[in-house]
């Protein structure tokens, strides 16, 4: 074997014989890392080619999808994110911060999964006894669950061939290594090689494989970006450690819609699914207090009501502070600028703190109106109607722009007992003939919305 130094891009996986400040393939800066490459005597590619069955081209009518079965994992919130259940032969990547609950969730699935087949849990970070202790704490007693502590992919493939499981969980991909690659576990070459091996095993044998991935300080999954391109589903487990609520978000799904979310609550006995997160997020909402409003954002196909709080105080610094939690900082800065220019509020000497209660992250423009009303309420110290929800996107001229799927949002608002809803005037024609007990207040601008709530 002949060793040589190569440079790999952590974003796209491109190989280079020398270091570049900018990747010549994807253009990312400072993404090339140095690794030792080896010329293999027998590469995995040849092994996969020898083991894979030959197939001939077929038309769409000739291809049968009866074997592409879905089965429930027993947790409805997880099934929602996956698009209705686990697809046989799929490779699913689950990422999240350390200690957020990734391993806990996947171990709980081993107990609730609606499948009589065997489950193989491969751990590269814990011993079998440690996993047994955690399983006892979570109440996992499935006799079809097999646990192995292993990091060598050749041994893992051998265990899969002998056990013939229906579901395999690999925790985590960064700890696994292939003996035919000389670089360290977690490197670009190792992650790519191990993922390719697991993907071929899943597709050829109809095995559903869950892979746990570590995340970087920027929140992205560690390793080459090609890792996310190779898998069928990419799920992010989000949440604040000091908050009980966790959000499982699908950012890629070949078998369902993306941006679906599942909400869980961390308890002493593990994770508990929250079937109606809007009720949980609004629980304990203060009344008759300035600087708080209720918004309705759309997460995938689910309307989600959340409380937005804003606090403004005169700054003691030369530059006022702007802080946001759960909403994009740049969006907050834009809304403050709109309130200054279009409404006449002097916020240039005010520290502004905006928070979405419950640790939920909202990135939909339809939340703009509710955030702007909370900021204005906190600045002028007036209370907003307790039974009113705000929906609308705010433009730079202060206008309220239309939002999508408004009927579905209003139905959720009515279900939770709210009496009023402030919506964009542009959506009036689309709501013609829609019957609801919620009073709809149509507004064209932020200034008009403020005038109506202060009457």
């Amino acid at each position: 074997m002949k060793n040589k130094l190569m440079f790999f891009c952590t974003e796209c996986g491109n190989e280079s014989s020398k270091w570049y400040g900018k990747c010549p393939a994807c253009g990312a800066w400072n993404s090339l890392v140095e690794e030792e490459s080896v010329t293999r005597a027998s590469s995995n590619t040849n092994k996969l080619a020898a083991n894979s069955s030959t197939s001939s081209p077929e038309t769409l009518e000739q291809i049968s999808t009866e074997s592409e079965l879905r089965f429930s994992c027993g947790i409805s919130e997880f099934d929602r994110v996956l698009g209705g259940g686990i697809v046989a032969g799929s490779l699913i990547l689950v990422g999240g911060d350390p200690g957020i609950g990734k391993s806990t969730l996947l171990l709980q699935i081993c107990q609730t999964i609606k499948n009589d087949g065997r489950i193989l849990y491969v751990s590269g970070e814990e011993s079998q006894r440690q996993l047994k202790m955690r399983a006892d704490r979570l109440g996992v007693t499935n006799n079809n669950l097999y646990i192995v502590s292993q990091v060598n992919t050749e041994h893992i493939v051998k265990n899969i061939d002998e056990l013939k499981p229906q579901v395999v969980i690999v925790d985590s991909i960064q700890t696994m290594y292939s003996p035919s690659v000389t670089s360290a576990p977690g490197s670009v070459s190792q992650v790519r090689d191990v993922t390719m091996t697991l993907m071929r095993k899943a597709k050829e044998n109809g095995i559903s494989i869950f892979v746990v991935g570590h995340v970087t300080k920027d929140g992205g999954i560690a390793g080459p970006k090609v890792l996310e391109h190779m898998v069928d589903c990419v799920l992010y487990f989000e949440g604040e450690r000091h908050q009980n609520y966790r959000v499982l978000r699908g950012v890629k799904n070949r078998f369902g819609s993306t941006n679906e979310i599942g909400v869980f609550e961390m308890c002493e006995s593990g994770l508990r699914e929250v079937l109606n997160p809007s009720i949980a997020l609004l629980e304990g909402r203060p009344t008759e207090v300035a600087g708080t409003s209720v918004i309705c954002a759309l997460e995938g196909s689910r309307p989600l009501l959340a409380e937005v709080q804003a606090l403004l105080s005169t700054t003691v610094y030369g530059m006022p502070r702007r802080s946001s939690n759960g909403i994009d900082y740049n969006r907050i800065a834009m809304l403050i600028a709109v309130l200054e220019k279009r409404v006449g509020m002097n916020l240039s000497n005010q520290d502004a703190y905006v928070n979405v209660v419950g640790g939920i992250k909202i990135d939909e423009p339809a939340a703009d109106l509710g955030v702007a009303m909370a900021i204005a309420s906190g600045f002028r110290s007036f209370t907003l109607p307790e039974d009113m929800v705000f929906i609308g996107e705010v433009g730079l001229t202060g206008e309220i722009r239309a939002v999508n799927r408004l009927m579905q949002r209003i139905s959720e608002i009515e279900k939770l007992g709210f009496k009023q809803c402030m919506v964009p005037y542009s959506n009036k024609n689309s709501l013609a003939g829609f019957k609801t007990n919620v009073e709809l207040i149509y507004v064209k601008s932020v200034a008009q919305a403020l005038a109506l709530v202060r009457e």
Side-chain angles (χ1 to χ4, degrees), residues 18 24 100 108 176 192 250 261 279 357 378 395 405 435-436:
K18 61 179 181 179
I100 203 69
Q108 287 185 228
M176 304 295 154
R192 183 171 51 190
I261 67 167
I279 295 178
V357 177
R405 299 169 71 173
K435 296 182 179 179
T436 178

Side-chain angles (χ1 to χ4, degrees), residues 353-380:
Y353 304 89
V354 181
N355 174 51
V356 179
V357 177
I360 301 296
K361 294 181 181 179
I362 304 295
D363 57 0
E364 193 191 15
D368 288 351
L369 180 58
V371 175
M373 298 299 286
I375 294 173
S377 170
F379 176 64
R380 291 184 173 171

Side-chain angles (χ1 to χ4, degrees), residues 46 86 104 117 158 213 268 277 304 313 318 346 360 376 420 428:
N46 294 332
I86 305 171
T104 299
K158 183 179 179 181
E268 293 182 359
L304 187 67
S313 61
N346 184 19
I360 301 296
Q420 296 176 300
K428 189 171 185 178

Side-chain angles (χ1 to χ4, degrees), residues 104 108 137-139 266-272:
T104 299
Q108 287 185 228
R137 180 175 61 86
L138 298 175
M266 181 63 76
C267 306
E268 293 182 359
S269 58
L271 289 163
R272 180 182 64 86

Side-chain angles (χ1 to χ4, degrees), residues 208-327:
S208 301
I209 300 180
F210 289 86
V211 175
V212 176
H214 296 165
V215 297
T216 62
K217 62 180 181 180
D218 297 327
I221 294 180
K225 203 68 176 178
V226 69
L227 172 63
E228 299 185 35
H229 297 314
M230 293 168 66
V231 301
D232 297 310
C233 301
V234 179
L235 310 179
Y236 277 92
F237 209 34
E238 305 170 347
E240 300 290 339
R241 285 190 175 184
H242 53 273
Q243 296 282 353
N244 291 332
Y245 295 110
R246 305 284 191 269
V247 176
L248 183 67
R249 186 185 304 273
V251 297
K252 174 188 176 181
N253 192 353
R254 288 175 179 160
F255 312 113
S257 61
T258 58
N259 288 326
E260 287 285 355
I261 67 167
V263 183
F264 299 85
E265 183 181 7
M266 181 63 76
C267 306
E268 293 182 359
S269 58
L271 289 163
R272 180 182 64 86
E273 56 181 334
V274 180
L275 299 178
N276 196 328
S278 296
I279 295 178
L281 293 175
L282 295 177
E283 187 178 3
R285 184 165 64 98
T287 58
E288 301 298 326
V289 177
T292 176
S293 66
V294 178
I295 61 173
C296 182
L298 207 61
E299 295 290 345
S301 61
R302 165 187 283 176
L304 187 67
L305 272 69
E307 179 190 355
V308 176
Q309 295 180 342
L311 175 64
L312 286 89
S313 61
T314 304
T315 184
V316 295
Y317 305 101
M319 183 73 68
R321 296 189 61 184
R322 304 281 188 256
S323 177
S324 63
N325 184 26
I327 298 181

Side-chain angles (χ1 to χ4, degrees), residues 32-228:
L32 268 66
V33 294
E34 180 182 358
E35 291 184 12
E36 201 174 60
S37 181
V38 62
T39 303
R40 308 174 192 174
S42 60
S43 63
N44 282 354
T45 305
N46 294 332
K47 292 180 181 179
L48 290 173
N51 295 333
S52 60
S53 58
T54 58
S55 60
S56 58
E58 296 178 336
T59 64
L60 285 175
E61 294 180 356
Q62 294 174 327
I63 300 174
S64 174
T65 59
E66 294 180 357
S67 60
E68 299 297 329
L69 300 176
R70 282 187 187 268
F71 55 93
S72 173
C73 65
I75 301 178
S76 59
E77 291 293 295
F78 205 124
D79 286 338
R80 169 194 287 271
V81 179
L82 291 175
I86 305 171
V87 176
S90 60
L91 182 60
I92 303 167
L93 176 62
V94 182
D97 294 329
I100 203 69
K102 304 183 297 297
S103 302
T104 299
L105 178 62
L106 293 177
L107 193 56
Q108 287 185 228
I109 289 176
C110 297
Q111 176 68 18
T112 61
I113 199 166
K114 303 299 182 182
N115 190 344
D116 296 331
R118 295 174 175 176
I119 304 171
L120 176 62
Y121 194 110
V122 182
S123 176
E125 301 175 348
E126 297 177 275
S127 66
Q128 292 174 299
R129 290 185 178 181
Q130 290 172 332
L131 277 170
K132 169 64 175 174
M133 291 171 58
R134 190 149 54 89
D136 292 340
R137 180 175 61 86
L138 298 175
V140 178
T141 58
N142 191 349
N143 292 327
N144 289 328
L145 174 61
Y146 294 80
I147 295 175
V148 62
S149 180
Q150 185 59 258
V151 294
N152 190 325
T153 53
E154 291 184 356
H155 294 166
I156 294 172
V157 170
K158 183 179 179 181
N159 291 331
I160 293 175
D161 292 337
E162 293 176 352
L163 193 62
K164 292 182 172 54
Q166 295 297 317
V167 177
V168 176
I169 299 172
V170 179
D171 186 6
S172 65
I173 190 67
Q174 278 82 10
T175 61
M176 304 295 154
Y177 79 94
S178 174
S180 58
V181 180
T182 58
S183 56
S187 63
V188 174
S189 302
Q190 287 285 6
V191 170
R192 183 171 51 190
D193 195 271
V194 171
T195 305
M196 178 62 71
T197 302
L198 294 175
M199 183 184 69
R200 296 307 309 169
K201 183 58 64 174
K203 303 302 179 186
E204 292 170 3
N205 299 277
I207 302 172
S208 301
I209 300 180
F210 289 86
V211 175
V212 176
H214 296 165
V215 297
T216 62
K217 62 180 181 180
D218 297 327
I221 294 180
K225 203 68 176 178
V226 69
L227 172 63
E228 299 185 35

